[in-house]
Amino acid sequence: MMGAKIWILGLLLLSLFYDGIGARESELNRKTERISGSAGDVLEDDPVGRLKVFVYELPNKYNKKILQKDPRCLTHMFAAEIFMHRFLLSSPVRTLNPEEADWFYTPVYTTCDLTPNGLPLPFKSPRMMRSAIQLISMNWPYWNRTEGADHFFVVPHDFGACFHYQEEKAIERGILHLLQRATLVQTFGQRNHVCLKDGSITIPPYAPPQKMQAHLIPPDTPRSIFVYFRGLFYDVGNDPEGGYYARGARASVWENFKNNPLFDISTEHPATYYEDMQRAVFCLCPLGWAPWSPRLVEAVIFGCIPVVIADDIVLPFADAIPWEEIGVFVAEKDVPKLDTILTSIPTEVILRKQRLLANPSMKQAMLFPQPAQPGDAFHQILNGLARKLPHDERAFFRPGGKILNWTAGPVGDLKPW
Amino acid sequence: MKPSALQPNRRVISFRSPTAAPLDGGAAPSDDPLIRSPAGLFWLLLHAICCLLSLALGYRFARFLVFLFLFSPSFPLSSPGLLLLHRRPDLPLSLPQPPPPNATASRVVVGRHGIRVRAWPHPDPAEVISAHRILGRVQREQRLQYGVRNPHPLLVVTPTYSRTFQALHLTGLLHSLQLIPYPLTWLVVEAAGRGAASNETANLLARSRLPVLHLPFPGRMPLRWSDRHRFESRMRLHALRVIKERRLDGIVVFADDSNIHSMELFDEIQKVKWVGAASVGILAHSGKLETAAQRQLSKEVEEENSPVPIQGPACNSSDQLAGWHTFNSLPYVNKSATFVGDGGTVLPRNLEWAGFVLNSKLLWKEAEQKPDWVRDLDEVVRNGEEIESPLDLLKDASFVEPLGSCGKKVLLWWLRVDARYDSKFPPGKWENSADLVWRETRARGRDVVYRS
């Protein structure tokens, strides 16, 4: 009797022992971790069947002709507006029957008026947007039905629908009045800022996927750079004294860490920029003139932990991606202590962040590949739109009558485009 | 009316040429001395103050005035910020601007901010150490995730003998081997005169903290290079015989003490199944001091051939072994060294041992799945054949696996540098002097100064 009990106990202990070993082994083999944000495990959701989008047919002067005039719009970081249009045209969520559509998309390329240097000028964008909205409100009844509450627009410029590159001017202008009920899909995100309205979907800036894939190095190349950054610290053209550009944060990084061998920071743009990011543990993503930057996308693709230095920033797909667990957030006032902060992060936390970054669905969610692939940024935008359904009843029935004032805004905006 | 402050120079011009047109707002008559009238004095003083201010503040002063007089409503909030100085360590951290009255509820303000610099913007050594620890842990994790799953142990075969440069070469090899993350056994075959291992070599090896098999080999290392190459081959065969007798398991690497190995070589050879071949870069150089003319000549010769000769496998377009790149000794025919330390260029054999790796099971008497295109080691030695490279141990050389993306990557460098055989080399005295210095300084508590 006793002998049998001893045998049973022994067997139980042995089984626990082996379970422990098995768990440890699977820990060792675990290269990636599942990502679950505040909306749940939604990165792998499929939007097809959950929503229907109707694409307005606008005359070519709003989209194709502008692109023909300057094909650089296809490769700069605001190219998401063009690729979103192309994606929707051939996507299964598109419907040709507007009566059954949940969302309406207006393909107007407001960020394609480029200077010779390639920077977009936003001065004509408000008039262009206004003109487009006038067109759709006159030719289809759906805009006036809800005053745009079930319409969405892609506005990837510096400060979104405020249509200016200077923050003070953008705040003065505010979001274009006619868009106040529509959903905005934009790269800019900062909490409690005039240019980010509630319910907007923040997206990553466009980064060319093939170019990044072409520079991949074998994953067993040891990561030997501690902190990596390439970019301007002082914008001598627009802010010669410093203190204005990046709210002084980039200049502070330079002044504090230019002598620190752990920080590989410089303004030179090397040919091995992408390869170097893959050899680094931390990549700095400080704000510039606007808080967002394509460095975040590059850091995620190359597995380098992003160190975000931008107060109150709202990162892309913030409800689907738990950025707090993936990146490191440093307040701008704590920049002088950046080395202390980064070296005091426990190694398990760092390894966990690297495992989360290695998750392919995380990398896929930051990209705009052509043709679209499941789980990419296009699908995350549609997932975001699907999560906002069904529309609030107030979208269709407004108690106070019409809300939009078609003559609001600066006088210059009212001129026809 | 434009104040004269905006056009300070025009005042000077009109002062110098009394016939110049009077200024718009200038009240003083042109030929009256300006100093006398109070209005003139006032303007002169204002002029002087403006000159001094613009000297001190530069364009900021001009901007201040422009905004003051021309664009007052949109005066930027940053006027006190003009005087915010930064980058001076004795100044306290500067404060950001107070938010404008009817701003958004954001904590972040637009405007000029100070650039925060801490008092001592240099790295802290403790933090550097923890950063290196983090890097080490991250790299270990990378190796676990993406590196070789079940690494084979390595058997490193090194022929050596006690000489002036032995400490130099062996220490370099020792450090390379200490960095290898795989289990290894170091078989050091030493050519000692009386057939017993020498103290110098033993002391060097003892410092290495690696598992070492110190194998003495009877016979002195010959002085002529051609004889030396043959002698080294026999030493390596001796090591292979030891591996066969003791049935040591692993991948055999021929690491000569003066060669330079890259760490990627040891990662690459883990892929070898039976016999592998890697590309070896040959650093053939002359020991003589060259005059400028000779250097020019040698540079021209170099430009004709490839800059560094490489020995190794040659592949065809489908990445299969098609032949061998060997060493072209024609350019060096007149300059080659004949004996150790004579200053000529030391030439390698056609195919050096260092470029080959073997699975030790090939040497065992019986091993499972041992291929039949390998000759038995004892037979080869009994016949007294000259073994120039491991290819002579194989019946069929086409089974050799090319490494390093089919030989395109050079994974190790062959080098022979040695002092003259009669160079002053007091055997045994090196250790004693170093120990003496160490004991002395421990006793006196001073920093160690390396004098030797």
Side-chain angles (χ1 to χ4, degrees), chain A residues 42-102:
Chain A
V42 291
L43 277 185
E44 289 134 32
D45 276 356
D46 187 12
V48 175
R50 294 169 66 201
L51 80 165
K52 292 250 168 256
V53 176
F54 176 74
V55 181
Y56 285 122
E57 293 270 336
L58 289 188
N60 283 349
K61 73 168 181 166
Y62 290 99
N63 30 54
K64 294 209 182 74
K65 279 233 187 86
I66 300 185
L67 183 58
Q68 264 169 3
K69 260 192 262 174
D70 200 340
R72 282 181 299 178
C73 293
L74 280 173
T75 48
H76 68 175
M77 50 187 176
F78 309 103
E81 56 182 6
I82 303 175
F83 291 122
M84 188 70 189
H85 182 202
R86 293 187 182 179
F87 163 69
L88 283 173
L89 283 176
S90 53
S91 158
V93 301
R94 181 190 184 189
T95 169
L96 296 169
N97 175 11
E99 290 300 328
E100 64 167 10
D102 301 303

Side-chain angles (χ1 to χ4, degrees), chain B residues 22-319:
Chain B
L23 288 176
D24 297 346
S30 52
D31 39 287
D32 238 356
L34 297 151
I35 309 171
R36 285 201 203 139
S37 70
L41 185 63
F42 168 71
W43 284 117
L44 185 66
L45 275 176
L46 186 63
H47 177 191
I49 291 172
C50 286
C51 276
L52 287 171
L53 274 178
S54 58
L55 196 69
L57 292 175
Y59 74 92
R60 304 172 187 105
F61 184 59
R63 191 176 62 183
F64 170 74
L65 288 173
V66 167
F67 277 122
L68 193 62
F69 293 113
L70 296 181
F71 296 120
S72 36
S74 62
F75 192 111
L77 305 157
S78 51
S79 73
L82 287 174
L83 302 174
L84 260 184
L85 289 169
H86 47 261
R87 287 176 258 170
R88 289 212 325 216
D90 46 310
L91 228 55
L93 292 180
S94 44
L95 302 163
Q97 306 306 310
N102 54 342
T104 62
S106 170
R107 294 183 305 145
V108 178
V109 258
V110 187
R112 185 171 303 283
H113 293 246
I115 300 171
R116 296 178 157 87
V117 187
R118 64 189 194 205
W120 180 246
H122 293 283
D124 174 43
E127 283 166 16
V128 175
I129 299 277
S130 34
H132 281 286
R133 264 192 226 124
I134 291 173
L135 283 175
R137 181 72 186 85
V138 164
Q139 288 179 13
R140 190 154 50 98
E141 187 70 20
Q142 272 182 290
R143 244 196 315 266
L144 281 173
Q145 304 280 7
Y146 304 107
V148 180
R149 284 287 145 185
N150 299 314
H152 299 289
L154 299 181
L155 300 166
V156 183
V157 171
T158 305
T160 183
Y161 68 108
S162 184
R163 62 200 192 277
T164 315
F165 279 12
Q166 184 198 32
L168 173 74
H169 293 315
L170 260 191
T171 315
L173 182 59
L174 194 150
H175 287 158
S176 297
L177 296 180
Q178 278 175 343
L179 287 175
I180 298 176
Y182 311 114
L184 67 89
T185 310
W186 194 10
L187 289 105
V188 179
V189 187
E190 189 186 353
R194 293 172 300 282
S198 65
N199 279 339
E200 290 89 27
T201 320
N203 285 335
L204 273 170
L205 296 175
R207 267 193 242 154
S208 71
R209 297 188 309 259
L210 291 168
V212 181
L213 273 178
H214 192 172
L215 306 169
F217 190 74
R220 296 194 84 91
M221 187 67 84
L223 288 176
R224 301 178 70 85
W225 277 107
S226 46
D227 296 335
R228 180 171 155 170
H229 288 309
R230 272 195 285 270
F231 198 76
E232 278 179 5
S233 302
R234 284 172 48 207
M235 290 163 80
R236 293 187 189 104
L237 281 176
H238 176 67
L240 292 182
R241 212 173 319 133
V242 168
I243 293 175
K244 173 176 178 170
E245 279 162 22
R246 304 198 198 181
R247 287 178 75 92
L248 296 174
D249 189 19
I251 299 180
V252 180
V253 188
F254 298 102
D256 301 336
D257 54 4
S258 52
N259 286 358
I260 302 155
H261 309 88
S262 80
M263 288 301 114
E264 290 163 352
L265 170 73
F266 300 106
D267 293 328
E268 192 72 17
I269 58 183
Q270 294 286 339
K271 297 183 197 153
V272 164
K273 198 159 181 293
W274 291 113
V275 185
S279 284
V280 183
I282 304 292
L283 300 173
H285 78 292
S286 155
K288 286 201 258 271
L289 286 172
E290 291 176 325
T291 64
Q294 282 172 333
R295 223 174 296 140
Q296 187 62 28
L297 261 176
S298 64
K299 215 182 286 182
E300 281 164 24
V301 166
E302 258 177 37
E303 273 156 21
E304 277 176 27
N305 319 325
S306 75
V308 172
I310 311 241
Q311 271 182 5
C315 291
N316 58 14
S317 51
S318 48
D319 277 347

Side-chain angles (χ1 to χ4, degrees), chain A residues 144-163:
Chain A
N144 292 328
R145 189 173 63 166
T146 56
E147 285 197 312
D150 52 357
H151 289 59
F152 72 92
F153 296 85
V154 181
V155 280
H157 193 49
D158 284 351
F159 289 97
C162 292
F163 294 124

Side-chain angles (χ1 to χ4, degrees), chain A residues 335-412:
Chain A
V335 167
K337 296 185 273 189
L338 190 61
D339 53 352
T340 316
I341 295 171
L342 291 180
T343 50
S344 57
I345 302 178
T347 30
E348 307 81 43
V349 172
I350 293 181
L351 292 176
R352 176 157 191 265
K353 287 186 202 275
Q354 289 191 321
R355 278 198 296 271
L356 284 167
L357 282 169
N359 194 337
S361 60
M362 175 74 203
K363 296 189 204 271
Q364 191 75 316
M366 290 283 117
L367 288 174
F368 292 96
Q370 270 82 51
Q373 287 159 17
D376 63 6
F378 299 116
H379 289 86
Q380 303 304 330
I381 297 174
L382 291 179
N383 280 337
L385 290 170
R387 283 196 289 273
K388 292 182 84 176
L389 291 175
H391 291 295
D392 200 12
E393 304 112 26
R394 281 172 299 159
F396 294 93
F397 171 68
R398 273 106 51 216
K402 294 225 173 271
I403 299 177
L404 289 187
N405 176 1
W406 285 79
T407 52
V411 175

